[in-house]
């Protein structure tokens, strides 16, 4: 720590430090995805946002009135109606679990993405203020900028896709679709095309899951990185750079609010689409 305080970090050192996780290895993660390492900060913030999302929805449901709703109740009712309409038009089947799941996903991801609006060095300053600066050297707030988290979420969606495919079409029908679609044939050609169909279906399922997680990760990681670059302007000590830091930071924060909500909406919609496709089959 004495060596760190002896000189100010370079821009690259500043960014690399802020991209480091508080993890089980005790060192910044070198690979983008390493399933042997547990990122404690990602777990903490994602679970905290999940608990807050559940608490908000539970409180609104408990205090809901039939009269004139309050602002929070009105907002939740708008979200419920939106999710219900979207799920009804996409999923042809029982939506008793899927619609609430989509609503929860949207609220949860919005809360996690919103953590990107916190000051870049705010949490670090708070950690130092409570006396944990010598214990927690690395800490990253934004869970959705961690590919381990977004791929974990998309893995959950993949499991649900397989579950509903088997539940709706029965095990025999689901396996039959893997071997007979998208290329339908009869007799010998059906046998020849069966391995191709299995391969294509496997690639389709994996591509859906990977792209779902990568899309959320890529957009939030880019936004987080841009906030860090803007923060470096304020640390330059030059008056015009500090002014540009305030202007650019404010403008990007306002625009980023749209990204925060949009990425949550896209993840929710693609989840509905993929689960709807699992109901429809090939």
């Amino acid at each position: 720590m004495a060596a760190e305080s002896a000189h100010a970090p370079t821009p690259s050192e500043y960014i690399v430090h802020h991209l480091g996780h508080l993890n089980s290895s005790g060192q910044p993660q070198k690979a983008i995805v390493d399933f042997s390492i547990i990122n404690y900060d990602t777990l903490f913030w994602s679970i905290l946002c999940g608990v807050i999302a559940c608490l908000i929805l539970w409180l609104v449901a408990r205090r809901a009135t039939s009269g004139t709703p309050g602002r929070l109740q009105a907002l939740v009712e708008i979200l419920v109606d939106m999710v219900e309409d979207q799920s009804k038009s996409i999923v042809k089947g029982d939506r008793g679990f899927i619609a609430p799941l989509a609503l929860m996903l949207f609220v949860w991801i919005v809360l996690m993405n919103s953590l990107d609006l916190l000051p870049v060095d705010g949490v670090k300053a708070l950690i130092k203020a409570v006396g944990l600066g010598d214990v927690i050297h690395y800490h990253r707030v934004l869970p959705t900028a961690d590919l381990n988290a977004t791929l974990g979420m998309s893995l959950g969606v993949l499991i649900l896709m397989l579950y509903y495919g088997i539940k709706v079409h029965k095990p025999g029908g689901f396996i039959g679709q893997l071997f007979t679609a998208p290329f339908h044939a009869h007799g010998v050609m059906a046998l020849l095309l069966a391995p191709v169909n299995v391969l294509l279906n496997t690639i389709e399922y994996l591509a859906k899951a990977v792209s779902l997680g990568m899309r959320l990760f890529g957009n939030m990681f880019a936004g987080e990185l841009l906030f860090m670059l803007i923060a470096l302007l304020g640390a330059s000590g030059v008056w015009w750079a500090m002014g540009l830091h305030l202007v650019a930071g404010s403008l990007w924060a306002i625009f980023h609010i749209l990204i925060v909500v949009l990425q949550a909406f896209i993840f929710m919609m693609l989840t509905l689409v993929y689960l709807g496709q699992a109901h429809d089959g090939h």
Side-chain angles (χ1 to χ4, degrees):
M1 294 301 293
E4 288 184 10
S5 59
H7 64 87
T10 64
S12 60
E13 290 173 342
Y14 176 85
I15 292 175
V16 169
H17 179 80
H18 280 71
L19 292 179
H21 285 279
L22 174 63
N23 56 40
S24 57
S25 70
Q27 299 293 329
Q29 185 173 317
K30 296 181 179 179
I32 296 179
V33 177
D34 188 343
F35 295 112
S36 67
I37 295 177
I38 300 175
N39 293 334
Y40 298 128
D41 45 11
T42 296
L43 285 175
F44 172 79
W45 290 106
S46 58
I47 292 174
L48 178 62
C49 289
V51 170
I52 293 174
C54 291
L55 185 60
I56 291 174
L57 296 176
W58 177 75
L59 286 176
V60 171
R62 184 181 181 185
R63 299 178 180 178
T65 61
S66 57
T68 303
R71 294 180 180 179
L72 183 57
Q73 181 182 336
L75 175 61
V76 172
E77 287 179 355
I78 291 173
L79 292 178
V80 170
D81 289 340
M82 183 228 4
V83 173
E84 178 65 17
D85 291 340
Q86 295 296 336
S87 63
K88 187 183 299 183
S89 63
I90 295 173
V91 180
K92 309 302 181 185
D94 182 19
R95 294 174 289 105
F97 173 78
I98 295 176
L101 170 68
L103 176 63
M104 182 60 196
L105 272 178
F106 179 79
V107 177
W108 184 34
I109 295 174
V110 165
L111 290 177
M112 288 193 292
N113 289 352
S114 299
L115 293 174
D116 202 16
L117 299 173
L118 295 175
V120 174
D121 294 303
V123 175
K124 181 180 179 181
L126 178 61
I127 291 174
K128 287 185 176 181
V130 297
L132 296 176
D134 294 333
V135 179
I136 302 176
H137 303 306
Y138 300 95
H139 190 89
R140 197 171 175 188
V141 176
L142 186 60
T144 46
D146 182 3
L147 189 56
N148 299 275
T150 57
L151 284 182
M153 294 165 63
S154 62
L155 177 61
V157 176
L158 174 61
I159 293 173
L160 286 175
M161 290 164 55
L162 297 175
Y163 168 75
Y164 278 107
I166 296 173
K167 179 182 179 181
V168 173
H169 303 287
K170 307 303 180 185
F174 177 76
I175 295 174
Q177 288 183 354
L178 293 179
F179 284 90
T180 59
F183 298 117
H184 301 281
H186 301 282
V188 177
M189 285 301 298
L191 295 176
L192 295 176
L193 289 175
V196 178
N197 287 329
V198 171
L199 178 62
L200 289 177
N201 281 300
T202 302
I203 293 174
E204 179 185 357
Y205 277 111
L206 292 178
K208 287 177 178 177
V210 173
S211 63
L212 185 63
M214 286 291 293
R215 182 181 293 102
L216 179 59
F217 159 77
N219 282 279
M220 298 313 300
F221 181 85
E224 180 187 35
L225 191 59
L226 191 52
F227 271 124
M228 293 180 189
L229 294 175
I230 293 174
L232 287 173
L233 290 174
S236 64
V238 182
W239 68 268
W240 62 265
M242 296 181 68
L244 184 60
H245 158 74
L246 293 174
V247 174
S250 301
L251 292 176
W252 178 244
I254 294 172
F255 178 73
H256 200 61
I257 294 174
L258 174 63
I259 298 177
V260 163
V261 178
L262 181 62
Q263 290 305 313
F265 179 76
I266 291 174
F267 195 98
M268 179 201 74
M269 287 299 298
L270 287 177
T271 298
L272 289 175
V273 169
Y274 294 158
L275 296 183
Q277 290 176 344
H279 279 73
D280 295 338
H282 292 283

